[in-house]
Amino acid sequence: MRFLTILSLAALALAGCAQTSVTSTQTIFGGSLPRPKTVVVTDFVFSSDVVALDRGFTARLSRKLGEIPPHERKQRTAERVNDEIVATIVATLRENGLEARPGSEDTLTLSDEALIVGGRLRSIDQGNRTRRNIIGFGAGRSNVTADMTVQYFSAAGKKPLMSFTAEAQSNRRPGAVATAPIGIASSAAITAVAAAGGVASEKLSADVEAQARALGHAAAAKIVAYAREQGWLATPEGKPTT
């Protein structure tokens, strides 16, 4: 699992619990859609002002692989953050009853009926910070948000279903919408998803890992809520939605 864009040096971000903020209206085509057979969670795109810095992770990786050039440290950390977010979304969707896996839409065939989940990481307040206030993942900051899209894939093609913004709770802005309670995937479940995808066994530092997982949980919560609205999942009370 790899990124499209990774730049510059990061400062540090604070982890927290997760919330989601809906930023555009979901659209449903042709009435009710059949329950998807799987949910494919693709790699995230990093905007140019979002980077990841984790000296603990790169030190552990260097002990395994040997000295890593400085420019590769940022890239490998960003890749590992991406993998953690994706694995968190996948594990949380599975915990709530949806089949899910990391991957690409290129792996789908015309016989598949699937949701394709993608996202772009960006700063929350892009024009309102000093040069020293660099956006990223790490200790002391939590200023990254994820713009998410969900599409329905079938033999008829791809249909956009919804877009939304996932944010860490500490950065939740006025008007953000809280989702219904969901089952939270365990750390072991997230680690198992990452390991199955060939992700490096070296863990992120606790603060970086926590923020990545917070964004993953926020994104998964909105997808679960949508699945309940469509009747693909039972409600928290155990009653199917209609």
Side-chain angles (χ1 to χ4, degrees):
M1 297 184 282
R2 294 296 174 260
F3 293 106
L4 303 180
T5 312
I6 306 170
L7 295 177
S8 204
L9 181 60
L12 309 169
L14 177 66
C17 299
Q19 288 281 3
T20 57
S21 174
V22 177
T23 57
S24 66
T25 304
Q26 63 188 36
T27 305
I28 302 173
F29 296 80
S32 298
L33 293 168
R35 176 181 168 129
K37 297 176 182 177
T38 189
V39 181
V40 176
V41 184
T42 65
D43 289 337
F44 280 75
V45 177
F46 272 34
S47 68
S48 60
D49 60 353
V50 174
V51 289
L53 178 65
D54 188 336
R55 292 185 178 89
F57 166 73
T58 53
R60 289 186 287 274
L61 197 61
S62 295
R63 287 195 290 270
K64 176 181 178 181
L65 303 178
E67 185 62 26
I68 301 173
H71 69 280
E72 289 188 17
R73 295 173 192 170
K74 291 178 288 185
Q75 178 177 341
R76 288 179 179 269
T77 302
E79 289 170 349
R80 186 63 181 82
V81 168
N82 170 80
D83 294 340
E84 195 71 19
I85 299 172
V86 170
T88 300
I89 295 173
V90 169
T92 304
L93 294 180
R94 290 177 180 176
E95 174 69 22
N96 288 274
L98 289 170
E99 291 294 327
R101 60 180 172 84
S104 164
E105 65 180 87
D106 295 339
T107 62
L108 297 171
T109 67
L110 292 179
S111 63
D112 289 320
E113 292 174 341
L115 296 187
I116 302 172
V117 176
R120 176 179 177 270
L121 301 177
R122 63 174 175 81
S123 64
I124 291 178
D125 298 307
Q126 293 194 32
N128 187 26
R129 64 178 188 278
T130 66
R131 293 183 63 185
R132 295 181 61 189
N133 185 18
I134 303 171
I135 303 301
F137 292 81
R141 297 191 186 281
S142 180
N143 44 20
V144 179
T145 188
D147 293 330
M148 305 296 301
T149 61
V150 179
Q151 303 175 83
Y152 192 93
F153 177 95
S154 69
K158 289 188 297 184
K159 297 178 179 180
L161 296 184
M162 65 174 179
S163 62
F164 62 93
T165 298
E167 298 177 4
Q169 186 177 19
S170 59
N171 284 316
R172 188 167 61 86
R173 291 165 290 180
V177 178
T179 58
I182 63 168
I184 300 298
S186 68
S187 178
I190 296 170
T191 300
V193 171
V199 175
S201 59
E202 286 69 28
K203 291 175 65 66
L204 295 166
S205 297
D207 52 346
V208 180
E209 178 185 272
Q211 188 188 359
R213 290 185 176 185
L215 286 172
H217 285 310
K222 183 59 184 174
I223 297 166
V224 170
Y226 179 83
R228 288 172 177 164
E229 291 171 4
Q230 299 305 302
W232 299 337
L233 296 174
T235 64
E237 294 76 22
K239 300 177 180 178
T241 55
T242 57

